[in-house]
Amino acid sequence: MSERLKSVDIFSTRKPKIIGKRREYSVMLLLTEMEGEPHLILEKRASTLKSQPGDICLPGGGIEPLESPLEAAVRETMEELCISREEIEVIGPMDYFLSPYGQTMYPFVAKTNRTKFQPSADEVERLIFVPLSFFEEHTPLIYEIDLTAKLGEDFPYHLIENGKDYPFRRATNKQYFYKFGDVVIWGFTAQIVKSFIDILKEDESHAEF
């Protein structure tokens, strides 16, 4: 066997990953009990931030080199809410989310006994506490975005079978919108929250049998 052929043996121990370079983020679905009911803690991002100022989001941010997704979620939650590690009880991971825009989101579920916070003013304008029952009882507005590629005249049609008549696939992405009072929760945050609620509802329906 040639040395070149032997070199493919690296795949016997290699851990697979997604093809292509993606930006990786972690977020925390942090729950606290208020008035006898679990509430999800959301943030209104500071208007001074360069990225998504004023948007409603979950605590979280980019994953740093050599940092695990969970470590990033915990670190960002501590920094943004100004709380200690001991005040965060991690329950476990949610399903992760691959956006069509080259981002990977790793959500985690956690609890805290804190109900009062003094979040970092540099990152957070204010906190929003939403009862889980709100998400369970309200269906979000759904809007479908067309992601189908719009190819220019310089696209090398001559290199593919059927050229301009090639049956390119149509792609769409669903955007969810929750309106809680004067707060609109949408984008990746709404997508992750909806998935979280769907899992809870599915578990409850199984428990009935």
Side-chain angles (χ1 to χ4, degrees):
M1 183 183 295
S2 69
E3 289 301 318
R4 189 58 179 161
L5 187 55
K6 286 181 181 178
S7 68
V8 302
D9 288 346
I10 61 170
F11 291 96
S12 66
T13 56
R14 185 178 180 275
K15 184 178 179 181
K17 59 183 179 180
I18 298 168
I19 293 176
K21 190 174 180 60
R22 299 182 67 88
R23 291 166 290 170
E24 295 191 315
Y25 300 86
S26 284
V27 295
M28 190 72 83
L29 291 135
L30 186 62
L31 303 166
T32 187
E33 188 166 311
M34 303 175 70
E35 300 178 352
E37 182 176 359
H39 283 61
L40 181 65
I41 301 173
L42 297 171
E43 303 173 350
K44 181 177 175 62
R45 290 170 61 83
S47 58
T48 53
L49 292 173
K50 291 182 179 180
S51 174
Q52 300 174 299
D55 274 6
I56 307 302
C57 67
L58 296 160
I63 300 174
E64 296 181 352
L66 304 180
E67 188 177 45
S68 73
L70 176 57
E71 289 170 340
V74 170
R75 174 183 54 77
E76 289 283 352
T77 300
M78 291 169 57
E79 292 174 358
E80 294 171 11
L81 300 187
C82 296
I83 59 177
S84 67
R85 177 63 182 88
E86 292 71 28
E87 294 174 296
I88 302 171
E89 180 188 344
V90 177
I91 300 171
M94 257 276 297
D95 295 335
Y96 60 91
F97 174 58
L98 303 178
S99 87
Y101 309 110
Q103 297 155 308
T104 303
M105 296 276 192
Y106 295 94
F108 294 87
V109 181
K111 296 186 291 188
T112 182
N113 290 326
R114 288 279 295 265
T115 56
K116 294 183 179 179
F117 303 84
Q118 290 186 318
S120 168
D122 292 335
E123 299 188 67
V124 181
E125 181 178 309
R126 66 185 175 100
L127 296 181
I128 299 129
F129 301 87
V130 184
L132 278 193
S133 59
F134 168 80
F135 295 112
E136 292 169 338
E137 296 167 4
H138 292 80
T139 302
L141 171 69
I142 302 174
Y143 182 84
E144 251 187 26
I145 296 178
D146 187 355
L147 299 176
T148 306
K150 299 187 185 306
L151 306 177
E153 288 300 318
D154 59 344
F155 184 82
Y157 291 102
H158 64 286
L159 297 178
I160 61 176
E161 192 75 22
N162 297 318
K164 288 187 177 182
D165 294 324
Y166 185 85
F168 291 99
R169 291 184 179 181
R170 183 173 180 269
T172 60
N173 182 49
K174 290 181 179 179
Q175 288 283 349
Y176 298 95
F177 296 81
Y178 291 98
K179 195 169 188 306
F180 178 68
D182 63 345
V183 172
V184 176
I185 305 157
W186 72 290
F188 298 154
T189 299
Q191 178 103 38
I192 292 168
V193 170
K194 182 183 182 302
S195 178
F196 172 63
I197 296 299
D198 287 346
I199 292 171
L200 290 179
K201 286 183 175 181
E202 182 180 359
D203 182 67
E204 289 171 358
S205 65
H206 289 169
E208 294 175 0
F209 292 93

